[in-house]
Amino acid sequence: MGYQAFTVQDAIERVRTLGLIGNEPVTAEEIGDGNLNLVFRIQAGEKRLILKQALPYAKVVGESWPLSLERAWIEQSALKEFAKVAVPFVPHVYHASKEEAFTVMEDLSHLTIVRGGLLEGEKYPLLAEHIGSYLARTLFYTSDFAVGPVAKKQIARQYYNPDLCDITEKLIFTDPFYDAETNAIEAGLEAEVDRIWNDAELKREVAKLEALFITKGDALLHGDLHTGSIFASAEETKVIDPEFAFYGPFGFDVGQFIAHLFFAAYPDYDRLRDERIKDIDTFWLTFASTFKALWEREAVEPFRKADGLVDDVLSTILQDALGFAGCELIRRTIGLALVADLEQISDSTVRLERKRHALRLGAALIKRRTECKTFTDLRNFDVTEELSR
Amino acid sequence: MGYQAFTVQDAIERVRTLGLIGNEPVTAEEIGDGNLNLVFRIQAGEKRLILKQALPYAKVVGESWPLSLERAWIEQSALKEFAKVAVPFVPHVYHASKEEAFTVMEDLSHLTIVRGGLLEGEKYPLLAEHIGSYLARTLFYTSDFAVGPVAKKQIARQYYNPDLCDITEKLIFTDPFYDAETNAIEAGLEAEVDRIWNDAELKREVAKLEALFITKGDALLHGDLHTGSIFASAEETKVIDPEFAFYGPFGFDVGQFIAHLFFAAYPDYDRLRDERIKDIDTFWLTFASTFKALWEREAVEPFRKADGLVDDVLSTILQDALGFAGCELIRRTIGLALVADLEQISDSTVRLERKRHALRLGAALIKRRTECKTFTDLRNFDVTEELSR
């Protein structure tokens, strides 16, 4: 059949041919932003489906560059892999076509995208707990601690995802730390950014985190776990879009989620700060306790019986996560992909102040991450000094 | 053609068909130990060649189990990869057949295998320096610090080597630390071995090293770099047999070589100790200075410019290497594959004493490896206390 980008009519025909809908009347529309994927919502009677198809390019801020369609297959495979171990948090996949780079999945329009929802004042009381559980399960069960090493190497080999890893490496670890064309630095933030570019210690620690990102294959990561990749309601949480999935370090997804909880406080910092810090508490406690419980019950030998090993592993995850969170805070404040949490602050003095805060917090997390060995250290992590300098 | 194990006649015909020898009279013999490979030495006039063919099984101490022939291809590819960056230390490959799992390469019989040579009192004054240079070059040039990440992922994917990694994992990190059938514990060593099996801290640290071994893909490793994998003379050094090659942590090859330099002192400890420690000094200094020089000249951005990063990387390599050296010391003293350096000590009291020393030194290196951040720390590393307890 070969690949071609679908029209609305193509999308309808595909789901009909697949028997996912019958001959009843159908409505369908393309609801994607067209930057990376086409997203069709298809409704036939009571049935609602999403058909997502990868485009052979990426468009960001007017620029366009070619991007492998293989990422659709990565996403499909990762959704299935994650559903095996964390089914409540993963959208159901009805059909996946590698050749035509499309996936038919559950429509989640009864939920809202968390970033937008939080900006509108919506509450997700179970979000932190759910993502803690989701990550503990997906990370533990795809790691060498749960899977025999031969089987794990087989899985890891499938998620060789060089295109998207390369994007991450460039946009998170490289470009924000020098005067790259991709950066988007708001006027008034130059002095703050200069501090970053001239901070040799910071840049060395970022390079270490980058090396960790590209060399450590702990577990199958989502790879892009921000609040725009999560649909939720008061009761339900679904993690979508794992097209950046690859075998990477445990701390990466954990850190990205933490960073975006920090971002979610910025629209109304004085009011939201404590709420978001409580979310981070809940998230980490759920993650760590679930990971530990899974380990104690199901880790393979000799890891399970190695006294105290799981606590050391969790310490390392926490430290690495804080470093990755720091990188994410910086790149989402001055890099290519900015966040609405900051950009939608209308008062420019406040907005610049919050951006400055995000950059300082990011740098502190990167440079001082090894101070945090336990949850208590995390709670006591204080950046007053960095902020006042 | 398909695979079948060669006779001497098959081997001669292959090299003749390949045009590597003409129609002159030929002598040939099989000189391998038949445990994993057939090794034919073929001589035609002035020409001497080695034809090595993988067997589809491994035989050790009478036991036999199936083993993938793909390892021949791994070995061929690794020899070529290493020759690109460290040609003086790699045997020349004339021909490689993936299908028939054989390699025709340079005959090295003008050199001696280092383990045997050292046992006979031979001197290899350049060995430590050569291996330092070999490892600095092979590790640096196959790492993300020298190769762009997309290209490196392409290379790494080829060296997916689950069978042999699994053997290493089992024999080095697992079996010696509990009462496994594969162990070979000499009578009289039981109490010492019990100490190891009951040392929870040691076992936790070994599990961490195992996790590092299976999750960290820093560089293309030789994977089995002991003194039996090295041919040398006073002037020349050639590293053979990289069938265990895979993308693993920097410190692994470094640590294995250090462990076998320690072993080389045991046959006559009082006389050889200082000589071997000097070898370790020379080896590490050459390795570190060469690695650093390559880095400063050729590392990719942003790593090259990250202030002080290479020193941190080298510190980590040293610490990890000492941990891996410790594991190797223990497994080669009580595990499946023992070393002649210890086994050939004829006086049983002395032999047991040296084995006890190797086990204590191994445990100390594993548990105290993080004390060694620099070469000076390594020099001052003192195990008197462990030995006297």
Side-chain angles (χ1 to χ4, degrees), chain B residues 171-178 183-185 189 192-193 196-197 199 202-203 206 259-260 263 266 323-339 342 355-367:
Chain B
L171 295 187
I172 299 189
F173 300 106
T174 312
D175 290 0
F177 299 94
Y178 80 106
N183 291 332
I185 298 159
L189 216 57
E192 198 56 38
V193 171
I196 290 178
W197 292 349
D199 187 338
L202 177 67
K203 287 160 80 174
V206 169
H260 288 271
F263 278 127
Y266 286 129
F324 290 126
C327 296
E328 183 72 4
L329 281 163
I330 292 174
R331 77 104 169 191
R332 292 283 196 170
T333 302
I334 58 170
L336 181 67
L338 305 178
V339 287
L342 286 169
K355 287 192 176 184
R356 183 174 163 276
H357 186 285
L359 295 175
R360 297 270 176 119
L361 175 61
L365 287 170
I366 292 166
K367 292 201 280 187

Side-chain angles (χ1 to χ4, degrees), chain A residues 52-98:
Chain A
K52 177 177 175 182
Q53 186 185 38
L55 289 166
Y57 52 79
K59 258 196 275 178
V60 182
V61 220
E63 295 284 321
S64 167
W65 65 87
L67 202 59
S68 158
L69 289 170
E70 188 169 313
R71 70 186 195 281
W73 183 78
I74 296 268
E75 177 174 0
Q76 294 156 4
S77 311
L79 284 171
K80 290 180 199 166
E81 200 70 37
F82 293 149
K84 285 185 202 162
V85 296
V87 71
F89 310 121
V90 181
H92 184 71
V93 171
Y94 294 103
H95 182 79
S97 163
K98 184 174 182 180

Side-chain angles (χ1 to χ4, degrees), chain A residues 144-145 149-150 152-154 157 160 162 165-166 169 174 200 203-205 207-208 210-212 214-218 302-303 306-309 312, chain B residues 144-145 149-150 152-154 157 160 162 165-166 169 174 200 203-205 207-208 210-212 214-218 302-303 306-309 312:
Chain A
D144 284 285
F145 297 127
V150 176
K152 182 231 158 177
K153 281 201 169 70
Q154 295 276 15
R157 202 184 198 189
Y160 162 80
C165 286
D166 195 41
E169 216 185 319
T174 312
K203 287 160 80 173
R204 182 182 67 237
E205 294 308 314
K208 276 189 212 170
E210 178 176 0
L212 188 68
I214 54 186
T215 60
K216 197 81 166 34
D218 288 326
F303 298 116
D307 241 23
L309 178 56
D312 286 353
Chain B
D144 285 285
F145 297 128
V150 176
K152 182 230 159 178
K153 281 201 168 71
Q154 295 277 14
R157 202 184 197 189
Y160 162 81
C165 286
D166 195 41
E169 216 185 319
T174 312
K203 287 160 80 174
R204 182 181 67 236
E205 295 307 314
K208 276 189 212 172
E210 177 175 0
L212 188 68
I214 55 185
T215 60
K216 197 81 166 38
D218 288 326
F303 298 117
D307 240 24
L309 179 56
D312 286 353

Side-chain angles (χ1 to χ4, degrees), chain B residues 184-253:
Chain B
I185 298 159
E186 182 167 354
L189 216 57
E190 295 85 355
E192 198 56 38
V193 171
D194 266 336
R195 276 171 70 120
I196 290 178
W197 292 349
N198 291 310
D199 187 338
E201 184 196 350
L202 177 67
K203 287 160 80 174
R204 182 181 67 236
E205 295 307 314
V206 169
K208 276 189 212 172
L209 288 161
E210 177 175 0
L212 188 68
F213 175 79
I214 55 185
T215 60
K216 197 81 166 38
D218 288 326
L220 184 62
L221 306 186
H222 179 282
D224 193 27
L225 189 59
H226 58 85
T227 45
S229 299
I230 306 170
F231 269 108
S233 68
E235 301 84 24
E236 242 187 305
T237 307
K238 300 278 184 188
V239 179
I240 62 167
D241 287 353
E243 51 197 311
F244 282 79
F246 79 110
Y247 261 79
F250 282 131
F252 188 74
D253 282 352

Side-chain angles (χ1 to χ4, degrees), chain A residues 76-244:
Chain A
Q76 294 156 4
S77 311
L79 284 171
K80 290 180 199 166
E81 200 70 37
F82 293 149
K84 285 185 202 162
V85 296
V87 71
F89 310 121
V90 181
H92 184 71
V93 171
Y94 294 103
H95 182 79
S97 163
K98 184 174 182 180
E99 199 186 12
E100 295 193 287
F102 77 87
T103 313
V104 185
M105 62 187 119
E106 174 182 8
D107 178 35
L108 298 169
S109 53
H110 62 295
L111 310 176
T112 47
I113 286 285
V114 167
R115 188 185 312 281
L118 287 173
L119 278 168
E120 313 256 302
E122 216 169 308
K123 301 277 178 195
Y124 303 105
L126 297 178
L127 174 73
E129 205 178 305
H130 280 170
I131 298 296
S133 170
Y134 165 83
L135 277 183
R137 302 181 67 83
T138 57
L139 297 182
F140 175 76
Y141 279 117
T142 61
S143 78
D144 284 285
F145 297 127
V147 185
V150 176
K152 182 231 158 177
K153 281 201 169 70
Q154 295 276 15
I155 304 172
R157 202 184 198 189
Q158 296 167 34
Y159 291 94
Y160 162 80
N161 195 355
D163 275 16
L164 297 202
C165 286
D166 195 41
I167 292 178
T168 301
E169 216 185 319
K170 193 164 157 5
L171 295 187
I172 298 189
F173 300 106
T174 312
D175 290 0
F177 299 94
Y178 80 106
D179 189 8
E181 274 194 12
T182 55
N183 292 332
I185 299 159
E186 182 167 354
L189 216 57
E190 296 84 355
E192 199 57 38
V193 170
D194 266 337
R195 277 171 69 120
I196 290 178
W197 292 349
N198 292 310
D199 187 338
E201 184 197 349
L202 177 67
K203 287 160 80 173
R204 182 182 67 237
E205 294 308 314
V206 169
K208 276 189 212 170
L209 288 161
E210 178 176 0
L212 188 68
F213 175 79
I214 54 186
T215 60
K216 197 81 166 34
D218 288 326
L220 185 61
L221 306 186
H222 179 283
D224 193 27
L225 189 59
H226 58 85
T227 44
S229 299
I230 307 171
F231 268 108
S233 68
E235 300 84 25
E236 242 187 305
T237 308
K238 301 278 183 188
V239 179
I240 62 166
D241 287 354
E243 50 197 311
F244 282 78

